Amino acid sequence: MALPLDLEALERVVTGCRACPRLVAWREEVGRTKRAAFRDQDYWARPVPGFGDPDALLFVVGLAPAAHGGNRTGRIFTGDRSGDWLFASLHRTGWASQPTSTHRGDGLRLLGCYVSAAVKCAPPANRPTPAERDNCLPYLVRELELVAPRTVVALGGFAWDASLRAHAGLTGTRVSPKPRFGHGSEVPLGAWTLIGCYHPSQQNTFTGKLTEDMLDAVFERARAAAGRRLTRSATRR
Ligand code: SF4
């Protein structure tokens, strides 16, 4: 299927997608059964597209919406603990207008930043299958093509691999040998610099594997990398 050439139209296509039967069943089941704390809320229970500045310098890629976060609120990283960490850091480093992201319409604006995920539907146990990952990749490819960022920050190894696959999908070339994911890994990839960052999941933040300072340092470095690319392209003109 040919995907639209503007983000709004792409969002409509994504939110209507039912290509992965297991994920469609799971996201809707979670939306019906709900978590007790949210039993009075209507869950979104659909695919969650990316959101933010359509001309962003920085593109952040996560794994997938959380069952009771993005799958509930309809906005990626919104209403869950990982999002609390992510948006607080984006705010401290100047990429977001406020430190919290609680629901659509909460006033949050991303400043030169766009946030999305490799897979747009909440997967059971946060583990999409390879087929589900591949089904969803064209949406990420088109988002990256339309936003055309200077820096991509991949939150976790799954997002790192998806970003490399998306780059291959966009350019028709695979980077070889495949760059290894690590916190702070940085790879120049044609139009963007790819930076790896531990995912701000509770598994990492509770254990101290990822601290606020480490997360802030990645987003500060992302700004420096984007600035270097802007300077270089201005010099070439
Ligand atoms: S994961 Fe992606 S491809 Fe699969 S149903 Fe959701 S939006 Fe569609």
Side-chain angles (χ1 to χ4, degrees):
M1 177 182 55
L3 291 175
L5 287 168
D6 73 84
L7 282 170
E8 270 183 36
L10 179 64
E11 187 175 322
R12 285 195 292 278
V13 172
V14 170
T15 54
C17 184
R18 302 181 69 82
C20 308
R22 186 183 78 118
L23 298 189
V24 171
W26 171 253
R27 75 194 191 205
E28 293 179 356
E29 168 71 12
V30 169
R32 275 191 299 276
T33 52
K34 306 181 183 181
R35 180 176 281 169
F38 308 124
R39 66 177 171 275
D40 297 333
Q41 297 184 20
D42 289 330
Y43 275 49
W44 173 257
R46 286 192 273 157
V48 182
F51 88 106
D53 182 345
D55 298 314
L57 294 174
L58 167 64
F59 193 114
V60 181
V61 184
L63 193 169
H68 302 279
N71 187 56
R72 172 174 59 90
T73 61
R75 197 169 69 187
I76 194 72
F77 280 110
T78 295
D80 60 64
R81 294 290 173 84
S82 299
D84 291 346
W85 267 67
L86 175 64
F87 290 109
S89 180
L90 288 174
H91 179 64
R92 287 192 297 270
T93 52
W95 295 106
S97 65
Q98 61 188 44
T100 56
S101 177
T102 56
H103 59 279
R104 296 194 307 155
D106 60 4
L108 171 66
R109 283 179 305 113
L110 297 185
L111 311 171
C113 174
Y114 191 90
V115 179
S116 192
V119 171
K120 311 298 190 208
C121 291
N126 284 326
R127 288 216 182 89
T129 65
E132 291 159 354
R133 175 201 67 194
D134 292 348
N135 282 348
C136 216
L137 186 68
Y139 295 141
L140 180 65
V141 170
R142 184 51 61 90
E143 285 178 320
L144 282 162
E145 186 178 18
L146 293 172
V147 174
R150 304 287 169 155
T151 311
V152 174
V153 169
L155 300 175
F158 190 96
W160 175 265
D161 285 351
S163 301
L164 290 170
R165 283 168 193 272
H167 177 263
L170 272 172
T171 62
T173 53
R174 270 182 203 286
V175 184
S176 180
K178 184 181 155 194
R180 287 183 59 171
F181 171 75
H183 184 82
S185 300
E186 188 170 322
V187 186
L189 282 182
W192 2 291
T193 299
L194 175 63
I195 300 177
C197 178
Y198 290 146
H199 193 284
S201 62
Q202 286 182 290
Q203 208 179 341
N204 290 333
T205 57
F206 271 16
T207 56
K209 184 174 178 184
L210 179 67
T211 64
E212 289 182 350
D213 285 349
M214 287 166 70
L215 195 52
D216 292 358
V218 164
F219 291 124
E220 278 158 7
R221 200 157 138 200
R223 188 176 294 286
R228 279 198 303 276
R229 284 182 171 268
L230 284 176
T231 309
R232 251 185 254 137
S233 59
T235 312
R236 280 198 208 107
R237 266 188 224 125

